[in-house]
Amino acid sequence: MNDWPQGWSDDNRGTRYGRGSAGAQPESARVMRQVRRGPAAPPGGGQAAPQHGVPQQPSYVDGQGHGGYDGYDSGYNTGQVYGTPGGRGPGAGGDGRGHGGRGPRPAPDLRRRVKVTAITVATALVVTVAGTYFWADSKLNREVDLSKVIDRPEAGEGTNYLIVGSDSREGMTDEQKKALHTGSSEGKRTDSMMILHTGGGAPTLISLPRDSDVEIPTFVGSESGKTYQGTGRHVKLNAAYAEDGPELLVRTVEFNTGLHIDHYVEIGFAGFANIVDAVGGVEMDIPQDIKDSKSGADLKKGKQVLNGEEALAFVRTRYALAGSDLDRTKNQQKFLAALANQVATPGTVLNPFKLYPTMGAGLDSLIVDKEMGLFDLADMFWAMKGVSGGDGTSMNMPLAGSSGGNLLWDEAEVKTLVEQLKNDEKVTVSGD
């Protein structure tokens, strides 16, 4: 019986090597029958047209992966036998579970990504905050030198700000003066004066009527450096500012109250209106219809949002009010507290398109003392917001009557008020 496959005989074996062979050479690799993939070759020995998108593969006819018929494709040389690219079919290397020889791909390090992101965000935030700080600090107009003020009272607890609204028209065009009804007076005078006390408790805002009767003490001229001896003369408080500016005003307030002033802040007409417009207006509840040709106010009673022009007219109006200057100071307190509250809202602080214009408008228009810093200014604004929040106190300086058109302070009440402010105590004194 013939043990060879069908069609083979002993004659086909040729010279063999190995078991049952007398040949001296080893037999060559046995050629396996191959199964042709794709369409059969056309008659005549020509090759079938290759399928589009299927690359020609080398033949394994000689058992070593080269030579032979070009149309043959065993699929083993590219891994296409399993239908996966790169030969990474099931069981192709690795751990026998279908993974590649390089092992499973490591999972992303989420903790590292979070850490890198947090560091990046923190760095950007620090750079932004630092840049904003130095930009804002450079815009403060530190023009008032309180070191020129002599014979100052001892400082108490907390911080006292003297806040002044001046009628300066500096930098205003003729159109702005007309629109804001400011007139064209030269120089500048104080239109409003307030003391804001901040400390461990609720803030206190005290208006100093411009017609308050005060004594001008001995002082050193802010420009001349000369000493001017006090003669006991009495004037209206706003005359002190007109005579020798902020330094004499601070000296006069300290002399007549005994309260140490830590910082000075002044804003003019144009700057005030610009800040209001920068925050998009300020909502106010107007207590009565107001029409005043001198200030330009033409407002109806009730809640409404005031723009810069309307706000300036509102805080300057006194002739249309029954209490004249005393009623005006109350309106000024209410408005400044509302403005501070508007500036400190998240809608302004967290919105760079509002924050930077507001800061720019405010810082450009403020005049402060040389020791004033941004943190002091922020403390002032937050305290003003506290006044409007209900916890703080707003009042006029206690009055005892008038003499020759000047408003007289109630000396006993003023003394109690000053002592409470010095000790940072709750204010029990009230004013009209």
Side-chain angles (χ1 to χ4, degrees):
M1 179 181 291
N2 190 346
D3 294 331
W4 300 100
Q6 185 177 0
W8 284 43
S9 66
D10 288 341
D11 294 334
N12 296 118
R13 292 180 294 169
T15 303
R16 302 294 182 191
Y17 178 82
R19 289 188 304 171
S21 172
Q25 300 294 328
E27 59 182 300
S28 61
R30 182 173 299 167
V31 177
M32 297 177 62
R33 290 179 177 271
Q34 306 296 339
V35 179
R36 183 179 311 279
R37 295 169 53 159
Q47 295 186 10
Q51 296 181 356
H52 292 290
V54 180
Q56 293 294 322
Q57 307 294 340
S59 171
Y60 278 80
V61 170
D62 62 359
Q64 297 182 20
H66 37 75
Y69 177 56
D70 291 339
Y72 170 76
D73 176 14
S74 66
Y76 283 91
N77 63 323
T78 62
Q80 295 300 324
V81 67
Y82 291 110
T84 57
R88 297 185 182 276
D95 57 6
R97 292 178 295 178
H99 298 291
R102 292 177 294 179
R105 184 176 183 180
D109 190 343
L110 295 181
R111 293 180 62 182
R112 182 175 180 276
R113 289 187 179 182
V114 171
K115 183 178 180 180
V116 170
T117 301
I119 292 175
T120 302
V121 172
T123 301
L125 182 61
V126 169
V127 171
T128 301
V129 171
T132 300
Y133 176 86
F134 288 110
W135 166 77
D137 188 72
S138 67
K139 295 180 76 66
L140 275 178
N141 300 307
R142 297 183 174 94
E143 300 178 6
V144 180
D145 189 356
L146 295 183
S147 68
K148 296 179 180 179
V149 180
I150 63 173
D151 300 334
R152 309 193 67 187
E154 183 179 351
E157 299 292 329
T159 304
N160 299 309
Y161 299 88
L162 181 59
I163 303 172
V164 175
S166 76
D167 64 359
S168 172
R169 284 86 171 167
E170 185 176 353
M172 296 176 64
T173 64
D174 291 338
E175 290 76 12
Q176 289 175 316
K177 292 176 182 178
K178 182 178 180 180
L180 298 176
H181 300 271
T182 64
S184 300
S185 300
E186 296 298 327
K188 59 181 181 179
R189 288 151 294 277
T190 52
D191 205 54
S192 61
M193 291 158 284
M194 303 178 190
I195 294 174
L196 174 66
H197 174 82
T198 69
T204 301
L205 182 63
I206 308 161
S207 285
L208 308 176
R210 58 184 290 176
D211 294 337
S212 295
D213 185 87
V214 294
E215 180 183 340
I216 299 295
T218 298
F219 69 96
V220 174
S222 58
E223 296 295 335
S224 66
K226 296 180 180 180
T227 299
Y228 297 88
Q229 294 295 329
T231 61
R233 62 190 175 99
H234 281 243
V235 297
K236 293 182 178 180
L237 181 57
N238 64 341
Y241 181 95
E243 187 172 330
D244 198 52
E247 288 83 1
L248 179 55
L249 178 61
V250 171
R251 169 71 175 126
T252 303
V253 169
E254 289 187 340
F255 177 81
N256 286 269
T257 63
L259 185 67
H260 181 88
I261 299 298
D262 297 287
H263 292 294
Y264 177 91
V265 180
E266 177 185 325
I267 186 170
F269 283 163
F272 181 86
N274 289 340
I275 293 176
V276 174
D277 286 334
V279 297
V282 176
E283 184 179 71
M284 286 293 297
D285 189 357
I286 308 298
Q288 65 182 71
D289 290 349
I290 299 176
K291 190 172 182 63
D292 185 353
S293 59
K294 292 190 176 182
S295 70
D298 188 4
L299 304 171
K300 300 297 182 183
K301 179 181 178 180
K303 286 187 177 182
Q304 54 199 285
V305 176
L306 304 183
N307 60 26
E309 178 183 336
E310 294 166 336
L312 182 60
F314 174 68
V315 299
R316 293 182 61 216
T317 295
R318 62 170 176 165
Y319 294 105
L321 305 176
S324 187
D325 197 44
L326 294 180
D327 282 350
R328 178 172 71 165
T329 58
K330 294 177 182 179
N331 286 341
Q332 291 170 346
Q333 290 176 346
K334 292 177 182 178
F335 186 84
L336 288 179
L339 174 60
N341 188 67
Q342 177 71 21
V343 171
T345 60
T348 299
V349 175
L350 300 180
N351 183 353
F353 297 102
K354 269 194 174 183
L355 177 62
Y356 286 98
T358 301
M359 291 179 65
L363 297 173
D364 277 341
S365 57
L366 291 179
I367 296 175
V368 300
D369 65 271
K370 292 183 180 295
E371 301 302 319
M372 186 78 157
L374 288 178
F375 290 109
D376 298 311
L377 196 60
D379 174 66
M380 186 191 77
F381 269 98
W382 281 105
M384 292 288 291
K385 180 181 179 181
V387 171
S388 67
D391 295 332
T393 301
S394 60
M395 58 183 290
N396 279 321
M397 187 65 84
L399 300 175
S402 62
S403 175
N406 291 6
L407 298 175
L408 303 176
W409 292 352
D410 186 319
E411 294 182 5
E413 290 286 277
V414 170
K415 183 177 180 180
T416 300
L417 172 63
V418 170
E419 287 300 317
Q420 291 175 342
L421 294 178
K422 281 185 175 182
N423 297 323
D424 197 23
E425 298 173 349
K426 180 177 177 59
V427 172
T428 60
V429 177
S430 61
D432 294 333

